Amino acid sequence: MIQNGASGSNINMIASFPSSPVIQTKVAKFANVLLSDGVGSNNEKLAVSGIKFGSSLTHCVTMFSRIRLQAPSNMFLNANSMWAFGGSSGAVSTNFNLLSANLDLSQADVINAGAAISIVGLPVNAQFNIAYATFSSKLDNNKIADIAIPGFNAQSPGKETNVSTTVQIVPQDTMPIRRSVLNISKQFLGSRGDASFFGATGLVFGLSNADCIDTFQQVASFPIDGFLYSLAGKGFLSSFSSIIKQAGIKNTSLSVASSSSLFASFQANIGALLPRQVSLNLPFVGFTVVVNNEQFLFLNVQDLNIANNEVTGGATFNFQQNSAFINQVVNAVSYLVVPNIQVPPNFNSSLVGTVTGLAFGASMSSAYGLASQISMTADIQALMKGLSSGGNGFGFAPNINATLLNSGIATEIQIANALIPFPFTNNLGPIRLAFRTM
């Protein structure tokens, strides 16, 4: 209702979406051009017709019902329009703030997630509630996941709009998807791979599966290569050491799990790294470490949890039982720590490590191998030298106290400078060494 002297009016609107394959095709074409070529690239005409107004649908003025108003879509969707959020001059500036997020992989075959964000700067006050939505996401024309959204809400209590949603994801762990993920990782790391396309299909939303809107069902895919290349070389991998420094490690421990494995536990405060409240429940993460083309160990991270800004978990290091290979690795590490040590004939100190076979999920038997084809290689020798003092050993001066016994020599070694710059508990027990002449 418009009142005398009013500067605004509330408008209640009911929108009906026709269910037609022709309309679905046109909407899909429009969306694909918009997502692929950017805002302002569409040239389709938008039209308004059948204008009626009055007290009800049956008691209304129809004299304008045959007027057809149309204009090119890029007149409304361009870099300077109010809909180009965060665009160039004339666009509305919006800020997105993450309020909370959760990710739960404790169930086999399904991932439960949720998030809440606040949006400041929207040109309208929005309030809506979508009770049901579902679609399938695609990567390079292969289904990567079926996604159901049992709740999607938005409210504008003031100058900001709060949006919250819950999501259920059923990943499709197939070999074509694994190859596509590998290709994306190459582009992310800066190497040119094949073109990658991401999209969604089968999007329907409404009250339920039986009462929903299917107008956007055929929206397909759009290229993501430009986005991936824009991320490449941003220093994400090199920032790992910075992340470790910012994490407030509260406790770590190391103990013997078996004759060929060690177990480590950890607890850290990561509030400085996380925006607001973030929770994670990830029972299993596993990957293989290969050194000089030989399997060195399998790392199994167990019960990785994030709650109340703290991360906890454990990890089992299962070492390959290959005496000759282990001896080669130990000798190479010894040479890096003590460069002047005498080495065996034909000794090669090079160590090249590769991480591969990444899997994650509710357990080892039901883990997702979507990223299992990705391999990351590093020069261990260079990493070790980076930790040392100028590359000439680790620069610590130990105090050694030795006592001669009938059974051997009891030695106590004290190191003034901390080798591990965070709280650490050694539960390995006595360490016995055997020496031999060369």
Side-chain angles (χ1 to χ4, degrees), residues 39 78-94:
V39 174
N78 56 66
N80 296 316
S81 71
M82 58 181 281
W83 305 107
F85 303 134
S88 59
S89 176
V92 175
S93 177
T94 57

Side-chain angles (χ1 to χ4, degrees), residues 11-350:
I11 299 177
N12 295 322
M13 181 177 64
I14 298 177
S16 299
F17 293 83
S19 179
S20 164
V22 175
I23 297 298
Q24 292 175 359
T25 301
K26 289 186 176 182
V27 170
K29 179 182 177 182
F30 184 90
N32 291 339
V33 172
L34 178 65
L35 294 172
S36 300
D37 301 335
V39 174
S41 56
N42 293 88
N43 56 14
E44 294 90 345
K45 289 182 172 61
L46 300 179
V48 176
S49 63
I51 301 174
K52 302 176 184 179
F53 57 90
S55 60
S56 67
L57 185 60
T58 55
H59 294 82
C60 58
V61 177
T62 61
M63 62 183 297
F64 302 103
S65 61
R66 294 192 177 185
I67 295 177
R68 181 180 178 86
L69 303 175
Q70 66 178 21
S73 57
N74 53 23
M75 177 178 176
F76 306 98
L77 290 172
N78 56 66
N80 296 316
S81 71
M82 58 181 281
W83 305 107
F85 303 134
S88 59
S89 176
V92 175
S93 177
T94 57
N95 293 317
F96 297 82
N97 298 313
L98 179 65
L99 301 178
S100 65
N102 65 82
L103 188 63
D104 186 356
L105 288 89
S106 60
Q107 291 182 255
D109 303 326
V110 63
I111 299 174
N112 294 292
I117 63 172
S118 67
I119 308 173
V120 180
L122 280 178
V124 294
N125 290 330
Q127 183 173 347
F128 55 85
N129 181 11
I130 299 178
Y132 171 83
T134 183
F135 64 92
S136 296
S137 59
K138 301 174 68 176
L139 185 59
D140 297 337
N141 209 32
N142 295 301
K143 182 192 293 187
I144 188 172
D146 290 317
I147 300 175
I149 305 175
F152 191 89
N153 300 279
Q155 293 183 343
S156 299
K159 294 183 178 180
E160 62 183 33
T161 300
N162 296 327
V163 180
S164 62
T165 184
T166 56
V167 181
Q168 294 177 338
I169 306 170
V170 180
Q172 305 296 308
D173 191 359
T174 63
M175 188 54 67
I177 289 297
R178 293 184 182 186
R179 286 194 290 265
S180 294
V181 173
L182 172 61
N183 183 54
I184 287 177
S185 73
K186 292 179 179 179
Q187 297 177 60
F188 180 80
L189 296 174
S191 62
R192 290 280 172 177
D194 297 331
S196 295
F197 294 85
F198 182 81
T201 186
L203 172 63
V204 297
F205 58 91
L207 294 177
S208 65
N209 184 34
D211 186 2
C212 57
I213 297 169
D214 61 3
T215 305
F216 306 92
Q217 197 169 27
Q218 293 187 26
V219 174
S221 59
F222 56 93
I224 56 175
D225 304 76
F227 174 72
L228 294 171
Y229 291 136
S230 70
L231 294 178
K234 296 293 185 180
F236 289 96
L237 298 178
S238 62
S239 63
F240 178 75
S241 59
S242 174
I243 293 175
I244 295 298
K245 292 178 181 178
Q246 293 184 61
I249 298 179
K250 301 175 68 174
N251 183 42
T252 59
S253 67
L254 186 65
S255 58
V256 175
S258 70
S259 60
S260 61
S261 63
L262 299 175
F263 177 78
S265 64
F266 53 87
Q267 180 182 9
N269 187 301
I270 54 176
L273 301 171
L274 297 178
R276 300 296 178 95
Q277 293 296 318
V278 175
S279 64
L280 171 68
N281 183 8
L282 182 53
F284 169 80
V285 179
F287 57 85
T288 299
V289 177
V290 176
V291 177
N292 292 355
N293 296 321
E294 291 274 359
Q295 181 174 330
F296 180 58
L297 68 87
F298 176 76
L299 180 63
N300 175 2
V301 180
Q302 306 150 24
D303 298 324
L304 182 63
N305 286 280
I306 298 177
N308 299 321
N309 291 332
E310 284 201 355
V311 57
T312 59
T316 301
F317 300 81
N318 297 289
F319 293 91
Q320 179 71 19
Q321 293 181 298
N322 184 331
S323 300
F325 174 61
I326 295 296
N327 186 61
Q328 175 192 356
V329 174
V330 170
N331 285 338
V333 173
S334 300
Y335 176 74
L336 291 172
V337 175
V338 187
N340 296 325
I341 194 173
Q342 186 177 357
V343 298
N346 302 321
F347 174 71
N348 182 8
S349 65
S350 64

